[in-house]
Amino acid sequence: MPTRLFRLSLRFVLPLALALGLFAYAVVPLVDNLMVRWSVRDLDTKSQSLANALQEPLREYVPERAERRINQLFERALRDQRLYAIAFCDPAGAILYKTPTYPQSLGCRLGQEESSGKESLVNFPQGPLHVSDSRLESEGQNLGKLILVHDMSFIERRSADTRKYGILLFALLALVISLITVFVAHLSWRDWMASVKSILRGESEAREGKGPHLSTPPEIRPLEGDLRALLHELNVERQTRDDATHLWTPEKLRTLLHEELSGDEVLVVSNREPYMHMRTRNGIEVQRPASGLITAVEPVMRACSGTWIAHGSGSADKESVDRNDRVAVPPSNPSYTLRRVWLTKEEEQGYYYGFANEGLWPLCHIAHVRPVFRSSDWEQYEAVNQRFADAVVREARTDDPVVLVQDYHFALLPRMVREQLPKATIITFWHIPWPNSESFGICPWREELLDGLLGSTILGFHTPFHCKNFLETVDRYLEARIEHESGTISFGGKLTQVEQYPISIAWPESEANLPTVAECRASVRAEHGMSDDHLLAVGVDRLDYTKGIIERFQAVERMLELHPNLIGRFSMIQIAAPTRSSLDEYQNFEARVRALVQRINSRFGTGNYLPIVLKAEHHGSDQVTRYFRAAEVCLVTSLHDGMNLVAKEFIAARYDDRGVLVLSQFTGAARELPEALVVNPYHIEQSAEALYRAVTMPEIEQCERMRSMRSLVRDFNIYRWAGRMLLDAARLRQRERVVTKIRSHSRKSLRRVV
Ligand code: F6P
């Protein structure tokens, strides 16, 4: 602070010191000159009036030659301090009378001229003298000239004094002005800094409820958005730097929860449950559903030990819960609670199959399937969202839990929870793409959905592109204040942070229990009657029209057309988990897929050889890993996908740094994994070429690409995804608490005043 004040002072004092120097060297001589001219004029007038005064007695004394009286007269006159000498000359120019001080050398030279009333300045050893003469006449007769000599040294003294006092006064003025300037600048700097700091601390955001920019000084307002954006960028950069240097692990996530959220309660809400109890011929079996959401969020819950609220959809789910509909999971090593919510057939039909999967799913995935919106589905969607929101409120042990809301099934839930738990930190993650505002606009309940989502504290998407689309959609359909640069939306007095959090997977902790690459290669080939050097590509998806499965098979077909030498030497194994099978669109899709496989297989297949092996059934994660390890290539050709975790799982499975990923450019993953062979799945020829390039890629190139992708997926893992969201949540919670304290404090002070 003193250094800043010193610098600030210098900034103002230096120019003033310069001005002072200028004054001394340019203004002072000018003042001097004026002073001399003014003094000379003064002496002229003085001389004139003294001469007038002396003329009368001289007219009497000169003709009488009364020397004594003349000398007395001169002596009296000399009492004037500045009059130095007097002389009187006769008309011929000879000195008749003079005071002893009269310089002899001066003579009567002024008298040499005819005219009188002349003044001049003469320099003498004793200093400058002012000499003036006046003619003395009596009744028209010229009696001679009176010469008055004034000492001018006082002018120099006066000018030196003036100079001295002028400089002193100016210096004093300069000092006073400097101090005032510095003081004023310091005050306004302090105010300015206070405003900037409050913006940077996000306090202006917290004031949203009182109206926009209430106490931000007008000069800062244009900067407010930029400052926040800058802060936001710095935060993101800092986090990214921290994240890049520290590997996120379950332990780190746990510590973060404990330290940053002080062990606060975590509740997850999703439609799909992480464990389904299924009744089978062998009794009750536990299944992990084929879902990217589950792959990602489950390890986080293991680390956080909270409660996961989800639809109990397994055939033996009801038999496996306690009387509060809870069951501890994972079954082998329970570390969190699964709370199941039961839905009737009608509810499931309207909310899940209808509104979520016939409406929102095709609406958000631009995959050329028309969305269907029915009022009856909407009613169920609202009702089920409310049921889950109530379940969240019942499960919460505190009034400010951290609630992690998952996906498009629960767009209304954040607002519903917010209404009952205003202090909750609600983090909603939208696992699928967010379309552009025009596409989203065709949903008849677009405003309600947006309003529901804006009950969230944080709203996450996989990519900046989806964030941008969301901000623009809100901009278009709601009356909200949006800061596009920092991704904040202020709606109804509450703030929502819209942020990108690219989802990922848990990096495998140990390979010990899984078969090696060599074992997987051998067993999978043997199982399918393939030779050891048979080339294999694998695809792992839900049987969904967004996954580009048809386009993938067409690419296989095209590659075999273009490179017939691969017929009999190459196969693709497609693992396709059945999904949403009660919907027409999915049934039709499955039928088309099966028909295409049949056509291609009958075209190129011979004997035991099948170019495409379709395995349309559920596979556990170990089985999937086995296929990933057995294959040369993994094909991910989604027509549109939020992230696509299959791509990352394939990479994680390839500890041998071999294998090639062919990846659709329309997945979120393509942004992070440029080392994959990135394709446009609609361009069949291009995908076919990429597939050929993949199966023929030299090992060294595979290795380089795979190593780079593995290091990214290992570091940017699911704990980082959750950690970043929880860190942001912790920051916002902290801010919220401070603001609440300040508000209640100011309310109390107000009450005291009243
Ligand atoms: O991609 C969106 C998503 O919710 C994923 O998170 C998940 O993999 C998939 O859909 C699951 O779909 P469902 O629960 O309908 O089987």
Side-chain angles (χ1 to χ4, degrees):
M1 167 71 185
T3 325
R4 189 179 57 72
L5 197 60
F6 177 68
R7 277 207 310 267
L8 190 68
S9 311
L10 274 186
R11 212 171 292 160
F12 289 98
V13 171
L14 274 182
L16 286 166
L18 278 177
L20 198 63
L22 200 71
F23 173 80
Y25 287 97
V27 181
V28 167
L30 194 76
V31 172
D32 261 4
N33 206 312
L34 279 174
M35 181 70 67
V36 171
R37 276 161 58 189
W38 170 64
S39 302
V40 168
R41 216 173 305 137
D42 187 29
L43 281 181
D44 288 348
T45 323
K46 232 176 148 183
S47 301
Q48 195 58 53
S49 56
L50 182 60
N52 288 345
L54 292 175
Q55 275 196 358
E56 200 45 48
L58 283 175
R59 253 184 224 115
E60 190 190 329
Y61 302 151
V62 169
E64 292 172 3
R65 298 181 187 274
E67 187 176 356
R68 198 174 54 87
R69 299 179 79 175
I70 290 172
N71 285 341
Q72 280 174 346
L73 182 69
F74 283 3
E75 265 167 40
R76 269 204 309 277
L78 271 190
R79 284 183 200 143
D80 176 347
Q81 284 175 0
R82 290 182 190 151
L83 187 63
Y84 179 68
I86 311 176
F88 186 80
C89 299
D90 66 11
I95 298 173
L96 291 181
Y97 312 103
K98 66 175 180 68
T99 59
T101 49
Y102 191 80
Q104 203 55 41
S105 57
L106 200 56
C108 286
R109 60 191 182 96
L110 292 176
Q112 287 156 12
E113 292 152 29
E114 272 310 300
S115 62
S116 64
K118 297 274 177 202
E119 304 88 24
S120 70
L121 301 179
V122 186
N123 263 320
F124 273 86
Q126 53 268 59
L129 297 176
H130 175 271
V131 186
S132 70
D133 68 76
S134 57
R135 199 160 136 142
L136 184 69
E137 288 182 348
S138 174
E139 296 167 358
Q141 189 196 344
N142 183 7
L143 297 182
K145 281 187 180 168
L146 176 67
I147 302 174
L148 298 175
V149 180
H150 275 92
D151 175 11
M152 282 186 67
S153 60
F154 80 95
I155 297 179
E156 244 176 39
R157 280 198 307 279
R158 184 190 275 179
S159 130
D161 282 353
T162 312
R163 213 179 304 143
K164 191 169 76 195
Y165 289 120
I167 289 178
L168 267 177
L169 184 71
F170 196 84
L172 198 69
L173 259 177
L175 188 71
V176 171
I177 292 172
S178 301
L179 286 177
I180 292 174
T181 317
V182 167
F183 185 62
V184 171
H186 174 64
L187 283 187
S188 55
W189 166 264
R190 238 178 36 178
D191 279 359
W192 201 86
M193 279 313 289
S195 308
V196 171
K197 278 182 188 164
S198 88
I199 292 170
L200 293 182
R201 279 194 301 266
E203 284 162 12
S204 59
E205 291 171 11
R207 292 193 300 262
E208 288 305 321
K210 298 180 187 172
H213 310 293
L214 259 192
S215 57
T216 309
E219 67 275 17
I220 309 274
R221 280 178 206 161
L223 292 177
E224 199 176 346
D226 286 349
L227 281 173
R228 271 212 231 127
L230 186 67
L231 180 70
H232 180 71
E233 266 174 37
L234 285 175
N235 262 334
V236 171
E237 200 196 303
R238 179 182 53 77
Q239 279 176 7
T240 315
R241 204 179 43 236
D242 289 354
D243 294 347
T245 48
H246 299 109
L247 185 64
W248 280 88
T249 59
E251 291 70 42
K252 186 172 169 187
L253 192 63
R254 261 194 296 274
T255 314
L256 164 80
L257 252 184
H258 200 71
E259 287 175 0
E260 303 290 334
L261 291 160
S262 42
D264 291 345
E265 198 184 353
V266 175
L267 296 161
V268 168
V269 195
S270 75
N271 170 71
R272 188 62 63 200
E273 57 183 340
Y275 294 93
M276 294 166 88
H277 287 85
M278 304 297 284
R279 200 172 298 112
T280 67
R281 266 174 295 162
N282 308 324
I284 294 179
E285 275 179 13
V286 179
Q287 256 187 28
R288 293 278 305 274
S291 157
L293 182 157
I294 303 300
T295 309
V297 182
E298 210 271 335
V300 173
M301 272 312 269
R302 286 191 199 205
C304 296
S305 311
T307 300
W308 188 324
I309 301 161
H311 171 210
S313 55
S315 50
D317 273 357
K318 279 201 173 147
E319 297 153 46
S320 320
V321 292
D322 66 12
R323 59 195 175 87
N324 293 313
D325 300 323
R326 297 186 188 129
V327 54
V329 286
S332 52
N333 177 23
S335 52
Y336 65 94
T337 304
L338 171 60
R339 156 77 153 86
R340 287 177 171 144
V341 174
W342 315 113
L343 297 181
T344 63
K345 278 274 160 269
E346 294 70 40
E347 281 172 332
E348 191 179 5
Q349 182 56 45
Y351 137 82
Y352 173 74
Y353 288 110
F355 195 77
N357 286 316
E358 285 190 288
L360 290 180
W361 180 268
L363 180 77
C364 294
H365 289 89
I366 318 288
H368 314 289
V369 170
R370 287 166 70 112
V372 179
F373 291 109
R374 305 180 193 90
S375 294
S376 53
D377 292 345
W378 169 250
E379 282 159 21
Q380 294 292 2
Y381 186 82
E382 264 187 311
V384 171
N385 269 247
Q386 191 61 62
R387 288 196 51 202
F388 274 80
D390 295 344
V392 170
V393 176
R394 266 199 304 279
E395 290 300 316
R397 290 191 306 271
T398 60
D399 65 348
D400 62 348
V402 176
V403 186
L404 304 176
V405 183
Q406 306 301 316
D407 232 348
Y408 60 100
H409 309 92
F410 293 118
L412 303 178
L413 183 137
R415 170 77 59 220
M416 293 167 169
V417 171
R418 167 78 58 229
E419 274 161 12
Q420 300 184 68
L421 295 174
K423 290 203 260 169
T425 299
I426 304 174
I427 304 175
T428 303
F429 194 79
W430 195 261
H431 288 257
I432 63 176
W434 189 276
N436 63 52
S437 59
E438 205 150 276
S439 303
F440 189 80
I442 66 171
C443 174
W445 295 280
R446 62 194 182 198
E447 284 88 1
E448 287 86 340
L449 292 171
L450 294 174
D451 175 88
L453 285 169
L454 291 178
S456 316
T457 319
I458 292 177
L459 178 55
F461 295 94
H462 293 294
T463 70
F465 189 61
H466 299 154
C467 292
K468 181 173 157 285
N469 279 351
F470 181 79
L471 293 174
E472 284 171 3
T473 309
V474 172
D475 209 3
R476 187 149 171 187
Y477 301 115
L478 291 186
E479 285 297 321
R481 196 161 77 81
I482 299 173
E483 302 264 0
H484 287 270
E485 303 83 0
S486 57
T488 48
I489 300 177
S490 168
F491 182 63
K494 282 278 170 196
L495 210 69
T496 299
Q497 175 78 53
V498 178
E499 185 60 274
Q500 49 150 332
Y501 302 99
I503 207 165
S504 197
I505 56 165
W507 191 251
E509 278 168 32
S510 135
E511 303 290 341
N513 301 329
L514 293 171
T516 63
V517 166
E519 288 163 350
C520 294
R521 283 183 64 90
S523 70
V524 167
R525 280 171 179 72
E527 215 171 276
H528 294 85
M530 299 166 181
S531 63
D532 285 351
D533 59 350
H534 196 84
L535 297 170
L536 207 56
V538 67
V540 179
D541 307 84
R542 287 180 304 106
L543 204 36
D544 194 296
Y545 54 80
T546 59
K547 299 295 178 186
I549 297 172
I550 288 188
E551 290 73 7
R552 186 180 309 171
F553 293 167
Q554 287 169 342
V556 169
E557 181 180 29
R558 186 71 185 127
M559 183 187 73
L560 295 178
E561 277 170 10
L562 293 171
H563 305 280
N565 59 322
L566 288 180
I567 300 172
R569 290 181 51 218
F570 166 88
S571 296
M572 149 124 225
I573 296 181
Q574 176 66 50
I575 292 174
T579 181
R580 306 167 193 171
S581 331
S582 67
L583 294 179
D584 286 351
E585 203 64 57
Y586 284 79
Q587 287 169 11
N588 294 342
F589 180 69
E590 186 175 345
R592 283 173 57 212
V593 168
R594 287 186 185 279
L596 182 61
V597 171
Q598 204 172 27
R599 187 176 65 70
I600 296 173
N601 280 347
S602 48
R603 182 173 171 198
F604 297 108
T606 46
N608 278 342
Y609 169 65
L610 291 177
I612 298 177
V613 179
L614 178 64
K615 299 169 104 48
E617 60 199 327
H618 182 267
H619 283 67
S621 67
D622 290 355
Q623 289 169 291
V624 170
T625 303
R626 192 168 147 259
Y627 283 102
F628 283 147
R629 289 188 173 173
E632 270 75 28
V633 185
C634 175
L635 283 166
V636 174
T637 51
S638 310
L639 304 181
H640 204 183
D641 221 331
M643 172 57 69
N644 193 293
L645 291 182
V646 169
K648 294 188 175 179
E649 286 182 304
F650 171 66
I651 292 165
R654 296 314 296 254
Y655 67 87
D656 62 334
D657 293 339
R658 301 294 188 280
V660 182
L661 175 65
V662 176
L663 181 61
S664 160
Q665 67 185 75
F666 305 120
T667 59
R671 283 177 50 85
E672 294 180 81
L673 303 169
E675 299 86 353
L677 298 184
V678 177
V679 295
N680 173 353
Y682 291 95
H683 191 334
I684 305 299
E685 306 273 332
Q686 189 196 56
S687 302
E689 273 312 314
L691 179 55
Y692 181 72
R693 193 176 156 202
V695 291
T696 55
M697 186 179 283
E699 284 214 344
I700 184 138
E701 186 180 344
Q702 292 181 33
C703 199
E704 264 177 32
R705 289 171 183 267
M706 186 53 86
R707 266 197 197 141
S708 167
M709 293 193 288
R710 277 176 67 80
S711 114
L712 180 121
V713 177
R714 190 192 56 236
D715 294 346
F716 288 64
N717 57 33
I718 191 60
Y719 304 111
R720 176 183 180 272
W721 173 80
R724 279 189 57 215
M725 289 200 296
L726 291 175
L727 264 178
D728 286 349
R731 205 164 34 88
L732 293 171
R733 273 165 86 92
Q734 183 59 25
R735 185 185 297 174
E736 194 59 39
R737 279 175 189 154
V738 171
V739 170
T740 314
K741 257 191 209 157
I742 292 171
R743 281 199 187 130
S744 86
H745 180 74
S746 41
R747 264 199 298 274
K748 271 185 206 150
S749 321
L750 194 68
R751 269 204 296 275
R752 269 204 297 277
V753 171
V754 174

